[in-house]
Amino acid sequence: MQNRMPRIPQQPVPNRAELDARLTVELAAVVTGARRRALRDGDRQIDTAHLLHSLIESDPAVRAAFEGGPQLAKVLGYLVQRSIGYGLRWQGSVEDSGAVPAVPDPGRTVRDAATEGWSPSAAAAMAGALGRAASRGDVRAGGLDLLAALATDHECRAVEVLVRGGVDADGLAARVADAAGRPGFGS
């Protein structure tokens, strides 16, 4: 008899220490939540929708970046639907917005190894968040950095969820960029 239970893939996590050292404590918790969500959903990789869901769930500054409670509730509704079936059309497929090559480079860095088990789009979003923090002179990326990086990739799953939830992704990215000048931006 063949086992019909779907196998929950293990997320390989070689050398996450370098990545974690470049994230705020709050963003590291978001990544942990996204990894847990991907495993629970039976997804092979952390994708941008996992990251968005965990960001909204965990970070008050991210929630404040939206245009109010009803908009945020609608986005959360889509994310919850996705985790209970809305995203079934995504299962078994690799999210790739074209932001980074889908085929890994054999000369990859330690940071690339830290994002194994991530979709190319999610890895690109994290790289974007780290870049945003570095451009401000911050050593660690925060939740708003990741939200801005997600919102600017119009081909990723997170933006698909945002748009279905009535969010103008470009407007959201602009609000986050405006917040960059405020104290405590990256936290």
Side-chain angles (χ1 to χ4, degrees):
M1 177 179 226
Q2 194 174 33
N3 184 0
R4 295 188 185 265
M5 292 296 293
R7 186 177 78 77
I8 297 177
Q10 295 298 314
Q11 295 287 326
V13 288
N15 201 348
R16 287 195 332 242
E18 182 184 288
L19 177 63
D20 288 349
R22 297 189 59 202
L23 306 178
T24 61
V25 171
E26 296 82 7
L27 187 53
V30 164
V31 170
T32 299
R35 182 174 290 110
R36 191 172 30 250
R37 183 174 303 287
L39 284 171
R40 186 186 62 231
D41 292 349
D43 294 332
R44 295 181 330 183
Q45 298 178 322
I46 296 170
D47 67 24
T48 59
H50 294 125
L51 290 170
L52 178 64
H53 199 157
S54 191
L55 267 174
I56 291 172
E57 231 174 33
S58 303
D59 193 327
V62 166
R63 290 191 297 273
F66 286 84
E67 293 180 333
Q71 184 184 65
L72 188 57
K74 192 169 182 184
V75 169
L76 274 171
Y78 276 106
L79 288 165
V80 168
Q81 287 176 9
R82 184 261 170 130
S83 66
I84 60 172
Y86 164 77
L88 286 178
R89 65 185 174 83
W90 291 337
Q91 274 187 334
S93 66
V94 174
E95 175 189 35
D96 183 17
S97 66
V100 295
V103 178
D105 179 358
R108 66 188 198 171
T109 66
V110 173
R111 186 174 72 203
D112 296 332
T115 55
E116 275 188 38
W118 294 51
S119 73
S121 297
M126 187 56 68
L130 293 169
R132 290 177 64 84
S135 71
R136 286 193 315 277
D138 286 345
V139 177
R140 297 177 187 266
L144 289 173
D145 292 313
L146 182 56
L147 180 63
L150 290 170
T152 58
D153 183 354
H154 291 212
E155 301 299 318
C156 75
R157 291 176 180 171
V159 168
E160 182 179 340
V161 170
L162 290 171
V163 168
R164 287 179 182 255
V167 175
D168 171 16
D170 291 329
L172 179 61
R175 281 191 303 281
V176 171
D178 289 343
R182 292 188 220 137
F185 167 73
S187 17

